Amino acid sequence: MSESRVHQTKQPSSGVLTKTQQADTQQPRDTTDPLNPLQQAVLRPGRHRKPMTPHRNTASKRKRVVLTVLTVIVVLGILVTAGYFIKQLIDTKYYFCKRSIKFIPLDKACDGTSDCTDGEDELTCVSSFTDNTTFPVRLITPAGVLQVYNEGAGWRSVCGDDWTEKHTATTCQQLGYTQNPQRTVLSVTALGASLSKGPFTAVQSGTGTSPIQTATIDRTECRTGQVISLTCSDCGQGGSEERIVGGTDALIQDWPWQVSLQQNGGHTCGGSLVSPRWVVSAAHCFTGTKREVGRWRAVTGKTYMSSLGGATVDRIVKNGRYGSNDYDIAMVRLSSPLSLGEGRRPVCLPPKDLGLIAGSPLVVTGWGYLEEKGKTSASLQKASIPLISREKCSSPAIYGSNITPRMICAGLLQGGVDACQGDSGGPLVRLSSSRWRLVGVVSWGVGCARQGRPGVYSNVDQLLNWIHSVMEENQ
């Protein structure tokens, strides 16, 4: 589209424009000026651009964030710690019924009366067991000669005739062991006078998986002239005899069967690992408010006292005849077998008639009080003490008729070395045939290390029948 332009004429300057003239002024003028003139930019000195710098408040904001996080962590730590101690305090006084969501006094748990819904407070309690029959398998003398029991014939040594590895595994399992069972044979002529003349028995062919007492038949003599000797586990491997001195620090690697039995996270009693799943302790550790099984844990493999870790316990069985310090023995079953290693290994149960005599060197270990009315030790302790004869210990000057056949005494009559509170249930061991064997369980005494008041221990030799029966009944 073209644009028409109108020529302008110069008018006299009269100061007033006519309408025609006014109209003419509204028409585009003929000019060489551009229609849309652009203003020419005026150049001025510019300002330097400032370099990028962090905001001046960033550092302070970071500090505030860090302080806030630390404060939250500290507060949470305080709350968790407070909660832990509050729970521990409550647990020492009350039992919590999970199903009915209520607390009952701790002494009402395991008292024979149901105080929780569905008798929850009576379900996981320490039980009692009385051995009314003779356990039909045993090892006897330091040589570990295998014997089986028949109600008519009594105890008979087992000949090496037709014996197989299956018989070894089956017999050791009956005795509560499954780790590395081994057998050797001994010449009948090398046995003592009480055993060399029999009676004897021997296994029958094809009976390798049968209970050993039913797999045998009586013999007047052994065809091979040999009897079976068993070692049912790699037990009893610990410290060397030369390192044992009285009343000094000990390492768990030297006494790897030592157990700390803890209730509500605190050390209460000692114990002895006798298989990957069983611990021997004292019956008096599980009386009063200590009868609820779920409160117990077994801490193993530690030289220094610790409440961390530990194995859960699913059964505690005390001797049904326990009372007035007699039959003071209990068995603790772990929820699952332990993995054995350098600092965690069972002690050997002794064979019947190990042959202890007065003065035999024994060793007691534990974390108990370092002195009477003192405090428990943070580090495992050991002490070498001699066996005291039954005649001397049961004399009127010492303990008199309080000593029964289920007890042995050990210590120094002049005092100074002894087990004490916190050592209860712990091991008293004897080195025999290069293996440590459990001969006693810390039980009772008058004070600690007093003159003329030695320690009294449960006599494991007299309680072997009960121990094996419990392990068989609760496999």
Side-chain angles (χ1 to χ4, degrees):
M1 179 182 295
S2 64
E3 181 180 359
S4 62
R5 297 189 180 209
V6 178
H7 294 282
Q8 294 181 351
T9 57
K10 194 172 182 180
Q11 301 295 329
S13 58
S14 57
V16 179
L17 296 176
T18 64
K19 288 183 180 181
T20 302
Q21 291 174 333
Q22 291 174 1
D24 289 342
T25 62
Q26 296 174 2
Q27 299 297 322
R29 293 180 300 172
D30 189 10
T31 176
T32 59
D33 293 337
L35 292 177
N36 297 300
L38 297 175
Q39 292 183 354
Q40 188 174 2
V42 179
L43 296 178
R44 296 180 182 178
R47 296 181 179 178
H48 293 292
R49 292 178 179 174
K50 295 181 178 179
M52 296 293 291
T53 57
H55 197 281
R56 65 181 62 182
N57 293 325
T58 301
S60 60
K61 285 183 178 179
R62 288 180 178 174
K63 290 181 180 179
R64 286 198 295 270
V65 170
V66 171
L67 289 175
T68 301
V69 171
L70 290 176
T71 301
V72 170
I73 292 174
V74 171
V75 171
L76 289 176
I78 292 173
L79 291 176
V80 170
T81 303
Y84 172 79
F85 284 108
I86 291 173
K87 181 181 183 302
Q88 293 297 102
L89 180 62
I90 292 175
D91 286 345
T92 60
K93 302 292 183 182
Y94 298 96
Y95 175 87
F96 179 63
C97 304
K98 298 181 180 66
R99 298 174 187 173
S100 50
I101 312 179
K102 68 176 183 179
F103 289 94
I104 62 172
L106 188 57
D107 58 2
K108 288 190 175 183
C110 298
D111 64 349
T113 302
S114 298
D115 298 288
C116 298
T117 301
D118 299 329
E120 177 186 345
D121 55 315
E122 301 296 322
L123 294 179
T124 57
C125 302
V126 173
S127 60
S128 296
F129 175 79
T130 302
D131 52 332
N132 295 317
T133 58
T134 300
F135 191 76
V137 185
R138 74 179 184 183
L139 305 179
I140 190 169
T141 76
V145 175
L146 173 63
Q147 291 190 325
V148 295
Y149 181 80
N150 179 283
E151 190 170 351
W155 289 103
R156 296 156 296 155
S157 300
V158 179
C159 298
D161 309 355
D162 301 316
W163 186 268
T164 68
E165 293 304 315
K166 285 186 177 180
H167 290 107
T168 299
T170 299
T171 305
C172 284
Q173 187 171 9
Q174 284 184 260
L175 291 169
Y177 299 101
T178 58
Q179 297 286 324
N180 302 324
Q182 298 177 3
R183 62 97 179 173
T184 56
V185 289
L186 300 174
S187 173
V188 171
T189 58
L191 302 177
S194 61
L195 297 179
S196 61
K197 296 180 180 180
F200 299 105
T201 189
V203 296
Q204 304 177 73
S205 298
T207 58
T209 58
S210 302
I212 193 64
Q213 70 274 13
T214 65
T216 56
I217 186 170
D218 288 352
R219 295 275 180 87
T220 55
E221 62 181 17
C222 295
R223 186 177 69 245
T224 59
Q226 297 173 325
V227 294
I228 294 295
S229 169
L230 290 182
T231 300
C232 283
S233 75
D234 54 353
C235 62
Q237 299 177 14
S240 63
E241 190 172 21
E242 290 75 15
R243 294 180 60 184
I244 299 168
V245 294
T248 61
D249 290 345
L251 296 175
I252 196 66
Q253 289 82 359
D254 291 333
W255 316 100
W257 44 83
Q258 177 74 54
V259 177
S260 168
L261 292 173
Q262 302 186 4
Q263 188 186 44
N264 299 325
H267 174 78
T268 303
C269 278
S272 304
L273 193 67
V274 294
S275 81
R277 199 174 181 184
W278 284 101
V279 175
V280 172
S281 189
H284 76 262
C285 292
F286 309 103
T287 58
T289 59
K290 303 170 184 175
R291 295 170 294 182
E292 209 280 305
V293 173
R295 294 171 177 269
W296 289 92
R297 295 183 75 86
V299 178
T300 60
K302 297 184 183 297
T303 296
Y304 296 95
M305 179 56 60
S306 171
S307 59
L308 299 177
T312 57
V313 172
D314 67 5
R315 187 163 298 181
I316 299 175
V317 184
K318 64 180 182 179
N319 196 297
R321 296 187 178 93
Y322 167 69
S324 301
N325 297 325
D326 203 3
Y327 294 93
D328 189 12
I329 194 167
M331 297 285 288
V332 177
R333 192 180 75 173
L334 309 181
S335 300
S336 59
L338 294 174
S339 297
L340 304 180
E342 183 182 8
R344 188 181 291 114
R345 194 180 300 277
V347 66
C348 298
L349 286 171
K352 184 71 176 175
D353 298 333
L354 181 60
L356 294 179
I357 60 174
S360 294
L362 310 173
V363 177
V364 61
T365 54
W367 291 276
Y369 288 8
L370 296 177
E371 59 183 359
E372 190 173 334
K373 297 181 181 180
K375 296 181 179 180
T376 56
S377 172
S379 177
L380 183 64
Q381 299 290 300
K382 63 182 178 182
S384 181
I385 51 178
L387 180 71
I388 297 173
S389 69
R390 181 172 304 277
E391 292 73 23
K392 183 171 291 186
C393 194
S394 60
S395 66
I398 303 182
Y399 289 129
S401 60
N402 291 315
I403 302 300
T404 73
R406 275 76 55 188
M407 303 175 190
I408 58 175
C409 301
L412 304 177
L413 290 178
Q414 67 268 29
V417 180
D418 194 9
C420 202
Q421 280 73 26
D423 291 320
S424 290
L428 179 71
V429 295
R430 165 82 162 117
L431 186 64
S432 174
S433 301
S434 301
R435 291 179 182 269
W436 289 99
R437 305 180 188 273
L438 182 69
V439 298
V441 175
V442 178
S443 181
W444 63 279
V446 176
C448 299
R450 293 186 184 181
Q451 183 176 358
R453 293 292 184 265
V456 183
Y457 301 78
S458 298
N459 185 358
V460 174
D461 179 85
Q462 291 292 309
L463 298 165
L464 282 170
N465 190 81
W466 182 85
I467 292 172
H468 288 308
S469 297
V470 169
M471 294 172 76
E472 183 185 51
E473 291 286 330
N474 296 274
Q475 287 185 0

